[in-house]
Every structure is written in structure tokens, then in C-alpha cells.
Amino acid sequence: MIDSGRQTKAYLVGGGIAALAAAAFLIRDGDVPGENIHILEQLPLAGGSLDGAGSPDQAYVTRGGRMLEDEAYTCLWNLLETIPTLDDPKVSVRQEIVDFNRAWPTDAKARLIDRDHRIVDAARLGLTAHDRIELTRLLVLPEAVIGARRIDEFFSEHFFTTNFWAMWRTTFAFQNWHSAIELKRYLLRFLQEFPRIHTLAGVRRTRLNQYDSIVRPLTAWLLEHGVRFEHCVTVTDVDFTEHDGIRRAERLHLDREGQHEEVELADLDLAFITLGSMTADTSYGDDHIAPELVRDKRDGSWTLWETLARKAPDFGRPAVFNGSIPEAAWESFTLTMRSPALLKRIEEFSGNAPGTGALMTFKDSPWLLSIVVPRPPHFDGQPDDVFTLWGYGLFTDTPGEHTGKAMAECTGQEILTELLGQLGFEDIAEEVSATTTVTTVMMPYITSQFAPRTVHDRPRVIPHGARNFAFLGQYVEIPDDVVFTVEYSVRGAMHAVYQLLGLKLPVPQVHHALSEPATALRALRTAFA
């Protein structure tokens, strides 16, 4: 590893949260000048999947919202403790999140809703003795033994009908055919959520959407330190050299608005390369047009990884993750409402306090719909008389109960019709439809990181022998940690920076709930209730 120093230049491929975090750690902990850091991003905005955009006149949209949590998100909190908010430089982003959740704690009172529009007693998980045995078996098996097997290979049919699975899968977006290893990691990482899975009291939310609350302050801090953001730049290849077991990134190949460029890496230069993207090839629909399901890899993030993977066997196997779009895709939607009618009815029906951000799942819906009502404003500058709601469906190919069409084929207004039908609110459908704009989002790779895999399918953050390059993002291997979380991307960035610069700084340990006897006991009591 190289010594930290002010002569180092760093090139970060991709502008998602992993690259932004790496840039911050390079400056904060590695003493690398901001002007020596280049973030190369093919999109016009940074932030990756942590997005939020739109206007009250047109419509607002977020592709999703990542769950945050106190116990498990140690690296993210470490980062955000040193990033000031845009509104008050004396208040950190971390402190703003703490204050917001103290004032508006999550307390879901209608976590599950059945086909008859009745609120289910979700505190009763519905696990049988056999279900508990199957859960225990998965928890004690080593990952090497589990291998590439699916979740549904470890559980009998009854387990998938329980309230527990309905809540767990829709909180974390699991499908029955996803990796059993990833489920095991989630169970161990979030065991503390067992007693509160029906209320989601452990969830921490940002004051605004995560782009406005996290990405914009972080980007502003990086810009203030001189970091160079280069947009509309696609990295198409990286040349490596290897001598006596030491590997170095030698050259980056760039496409800058159709023009080929090369960046030669000097002896002290570093390359941080984001592999793949769970939001690659996102497409959008509206009130009258359904979003396209893109299948031909138009985004450069996957093609870059495929190119690099052909260079070395330990650079991962991207086909494991991007090879089955039907098993990875799902669709989300954002409602922009210019009438409070729907939200008032949801609050009356659910008993949820206004804007508590409580997830509601329609457990018997053919699309397995879930919705969240964020506390307004959810977007910077959102007017007081404009409201938003976000939702998603895990099953996009099944005909809807009220539309008769697959979710993937539906326009935004048809998805709104299905949602109102699931709620039993058809009596206000005319008013809600006339005052609501629906933006739909199809994401072909959104849960691709959950694909069944072996230990060799994801590359290490720092491959063996690497001296000046690291891999970032959701498709690297971080032992014991869980993908599909902001924490995973930030932890990988911290490992990459500290190791390449040879910093003697500790990386916070991965949270293990079983190491806390009181937490384990509470989870056990809940499972046997």
C-alpha cells in the first residue's frame, strides 16, 4: 500500500454514494487535496440510487428510499457526522437525522393489510415450530455450505405464508428465489428488528428524500474542498499490469461525449472503480405511458464490469447478477398529489400519525404492493399544498386485482386505480385521479445483488496484490455485511481508502446482533410468541 500524501491523485469511476464517500474519506482522513480527486460519472447528476427530483408543477419522483438504522449503520454515521447540512453549517447531517427521528418516530399501525381491507395483527409473526427450526438451520450453516442455494430451498411452504415473511421481504425487498446467504446475513445483521418489525420503530428516515438530505450536502462539502466532478463521462476500460504478484491500474479509457480519452496513472495515483449498478437502465413512465423494461445494457456500469472481469478470474462474475432481469426487476411509483384527500383517508384508515413514514403492505395483492407516506416536505421547496406518496410492487408480471393487467404494463393512472382498490377507497377515485400525477419507475437490476451466488462471484474491495486500485459498490465482497444498504457502499469505500493509503484508522465493526445477549433474547421471545 502507498503512503498518504498530497501528491496523490484519485480517480473515482462512478458518482454513487460509494464514490462520494471514498472522496470524503480521502480528504478527511487521507489528507488528499480535493482538487486532486476526479469523480467520473456518466450521468448528469451524482448520487446513484440515492435520488430525488422533480417539481410541484410537473411531478416528483424517487426510485426508492433506503432503510437506515442506528445499530447497523456505523460507517454511514461516521461519514455523516462530519458533513454539515445545507441549512445550518453547525449541524451535521447525522445530527439532523437524529433530531428528525426523535421528533417524528416511525410507528406503523397498519403494517399489513389483507384482501378485505382489514389491518392484520402483524405483531403475531405466525411462525410454527417447524419454521423456527428452518430459520435456526439457516443461521447456523456456514456460507460455504449454503453456497448458491435459494431461500426457497431452505423453507417449507408455510414459512412463506407467515406475517413474518410478508413483513421481512417487503421491508428489505427479498424474493423467495433470492440468495439464502444474503437472507442469513440480513437475519444476523437485523435481528434487533424482530420485536419491532411490525412497527418499524427501528427505521431511521432522513428529513427530506435521501438525495436532498444526504447527497446534496455531501456533494457541496466535496465541491467546497475542490473535488472535480466530471459528468457525461463513461469509463469503458482499465488497463492493468502485474509483476511479481503486484497488480496496478495503469490507464483509464474514457468516453467523454463521444470522444475517446485516456488517463495515465502515475506512481502515486489511485483508481476506485464502481462495479455494476442496481439502478442501471432505469426507465420512467407517467400517467398515460408504462415504463419500458430495458434489457440491452445501455448503462455503462455493467459493460465496464464485464470488460474488467475478462482480465482476471478474481474480478468477479457479473453474469451471476445481471443475467436474469425477470428475477431482479421490480417497479416503483411516486404520487404527486395536489389534494390531501387520499392522505387523509390513509391516516384515518391506518391510525398512523401524519407523515410518520410507516410502510404499509397489501399482503394479498397480486403485485405485493407496499406504500410509504413521507412527512412533507419530502423534496426541497415542496409547497405546503402538494403531497407525495411512494410505493412499489415486487411482482410486476402478475395481473392486478382491479386492473386485470400486469403492473409492468400499467400506466401511472392504472397503478393508482389498483392502489385505491387495495385500500378500498374507490369512492374518492375520481377526485384523487384528477388531482394526482403518477410517475412510474422500472428498474431491471434493482435486486440483482441478491442473486444466488458463491463466495467467488464478487471481487474483494482490494484484490490480492492490488496496490493502487480498489472496487466499490454493491457487488464487491465485504464479509458479514449486507448488500442493498447505503452502509455497504460506505463501508466498502472506507476499507478501500484506508487500505490503499495505509491509514492506521479503525473501520467500525460490522454489527452482529447475536453478540448482544439481551438483543438475542428479545428476538427469541418474539419468534416464539
Side-chain angles (χ1 to χ4, degrees):
M1 305 305 166
I2 70 171
D3 294 330
S4 60
R6 301 188 64 80
Q7 294 182 344
T8 295
K9 291 184 179 180
Y11 296 88
L12 296 104
V13 179
I17 187 62
L20 299 181
F25 295 139
L26 284 166
I27 296 169
R28 188 192 74 180
D29 302 326
D31 198 31
V32 176
E35 58 268 23
N36 287 4
I37 300 173
H38 300 255
I39 295 178
L40 310 173
E41 169 57 55
Q42 74 174 32
L43 298 177
L45 285 175
S49 64
L50 300 186
D51 64 346
S55 69
D57 298 330
Q58 300 298 318
Y60 292 110
V61 62
T62 57
R63 287 180 286 193
R66 306 292 165 250
M67 170 185 167
L68 308 179
E69 200 227 32
D70 283 341
E71 293 92 339
Y73 282 57
T74 51
C75 292
L76 177 65
W77 301 143
N78 177 286
L79 169 67
L80 298 184
E81 284 169 358
T82 54
I83 303 301
T85 61
L86 296 179
D87 295 334
D88 187 347
K90 297 180 181 178
V91 177
S92 71
V93 173
R94 167 59 171 151
Q95 189 59 51
E96 180 184 71
I97 293 172
V98 170
D99 293 343
F100 178 78
N101 284 275
R102 184 177 294 124
W104 306 103
T106 301
D107 183 18
K109 300 183 183 302
R111 181 64 186 86
L112 297 177
I113 300 161
D114 69 14
R115 59 171 48 89
D116 297 317
H117 320 303
R118 295 178 302 194
I119 297 172
V120 176
D121 180 8
R124 300 179 64 86
L125 301 186
L127 296 170
T128 65
H130 188 66
D131 296 329
R132 299 182 191 108
I133 291 172
E134 291 174 332
L135 274 169
T136 302
R137 175 173 174 258
L138 178 61
L139 289 175
V140 300
L141 278 178
E143 291 186 3
V145 175
I146 297 172
R149 284 187 285 177
R150 301 160 29 137
I151 294 170
D152 54 15
E153 295 181 63
F154 282 85
F155 295 94
S156 55
E157 184 176 347
H158 179 268
F159 174 80
F160 299 109
T161 68
T162 62
N163 289 341
F164 170 78
W165 182 240
M167 291 186 287
W168 194 269
R169 74 178 312 180
T170 53
T171 299
F172 301 114
F174 274 107
Q175 300 280 25
N176 294 6
W177 53 83
H178 281 157
S179 166
I181 287 178
E182 300 303 340
L183 176 59
K184 173 184 175 175
R185 288 192 181 189
Y186 261 80
L187 291 169
L188 292 173
R189 190 73 181 277
F190 294 111
L191 196 66
Q192 65 275 9
E193 296 305 319
F194 266 59
R196 56 199 189 196
I197 190 69
H198 62 294
T199 66
L200 296 174
V203 172
R204 299 295 176 257
R205 298 169 290 129
T206 52
R207 183 174 65 87
L208 301 173
N209 65 82
Q210 291 167 353
Y211 179 78
D212 284 331
S213 282
I214 294 177
V215 175
R216 286 181 58 215
L218 180 52
T219 300
W221 187 88
L222 294 173
L223 287 169
E224 288 173 3
H225 284 78
V227 172
R228 303 173 189 271
F229 284 81
E230 301 180 31
H231 292 284
C232 301
V233 175
T234 302
V235 177
T236 59
D237 200 356
V238 181
D239 295 335
F240 299 91
T241 61
E242 181 172 355
H243 299 288
D244 298 326
I246 295 176
R247 293 192 281 187
R248 298 183 62 85
E250 183 180 45
R251 184 180 302 106
L252 305 180
H253 295 266
L254 279 56
D255 183 313
R256 191 187 300 271
E257 299 182 346
Q259 299 297 315
H260 179 76
E261 295 182 12
E262 295 181 1
V263 175
E264 303 288 337
L265 300 179
D267 289 344
L268 294 179
D269 293 349
L270 304 175
F272 299 85
I273 305 162
T274 303
L275 300 178
S277 169
M278 64 184 182
T279 50
D281 294 333
T282 292
S283 63
Y284 297 86
D286 57 27
D287 280 337
H288 309 295
I289 299 175
E292 175 189 8
L293 179 58
V294 178
R295 299 175 181 269
D296 53 359
K297 297 193 185 82
R298 301 171 190 175
D299 185 293
S301 56
W302 285 110
T303 53
L304 173 61
W305 188 11
E306 290 171 344
T307 299
L308 300 187
R310 289 192 287 268
K311 297 176 183 285
D314 63 336
F315 282 5
R317 301 185 178 105
V320 170
F321 304 97
N322 66 19
S324 183
I325 287 175
E327 294 186 345
W330 48 253
E331 184 175 355
S332 71
F333 55 92
T334 304
L335 307 188
T336 303
M337 298 168 285
R338 299 168 186 87
S339 163
L342 178 56
L343 296 194
K344 287 184 177 178
R345 285 289 293 273
I346 289 176
E347 290 167 6
E348 293 170 359
F349 167 76
S350 66
N352 292 330
T356 54
L359 187 67
M360 301 167 59
T361 293
F362 304 92
K363 65 184 294 285
D364 299 316
S365 67
W367 299 347
L368 194 55
L369 280 175
S370 296
I371 60 172
V372 174
V373 179
R375 180 169 181 78
H378 192 53
F379 295 83
D380 189 33
Q382 179 180 332
D384 292 340
D385 58 351
V386 176
F387 313 92
T388 63
L389 177 151
W390 179 84
Y392 82 104
L394 274 179
F395 304 146
T396 61
D397 295 329
T398 307
E401 183 178 350
H402 301 275
T403 62
K405 296 172 62 176
M407 187 180 189
E409 300 172 349
C410 285
T411 67
Q413 283 295 320
E414 288 171 332
I415 287 177
L416 180 59
T417 296
E418 185 74 22
L419 173 61
L420 293 172
Q422 293 296 328
L423 284 162
F425 294 172
E426 291 95 335
D427 58 308
I428 60 171
E430 184 175 351
E431 177 185 356
V432 172
S433 177
T435 57
T436 300
T437 302
V438 186
T439 305
T440 54
V441 183
M442 180 63 75
M443 296 167 284
Y445 305 105
I446 188 61
T447 58
S448 56
Q449 61 271 56
F450 284 153
R453 60 172 181 83
T454 68
V455 69
H456 303 294
D457 293 331
R458 300 195 301 213
R460 293 160 55 102
V461 174
I462 308 288
H464 290 293
R467 289 295 183 268
N468 73 332
F469 70 94
F471 294 134
L472 301 178
Q474 292 287 308
Y475 301 91
V476 298
E477 175 58 27
I478 304 175
D480 300 326
D481 208 351
V482 291
V483 293
F484 210 31
T485 63
V486 184
E487 174 72 6
Y488 199 84
S489 293
V490 175
R491 179 175 294 275
M494 185 177 280
H495 274 291
V497 170
Y498 288 8
Q499 290 184 55
L500 287 184
L501 289 180
L503 302 178
K504 304 302 182 183
L505 297 173
V507 175
Q509 291 186 343
V510 172
H511 175 74
H512 288 288
L514 280 179
S515 65
E516 302 171 354
T519 299
L521 181 59
R522 285 193 295 269
L524 187 64
R525 287 173 175 169
T526 302
F528 279 84

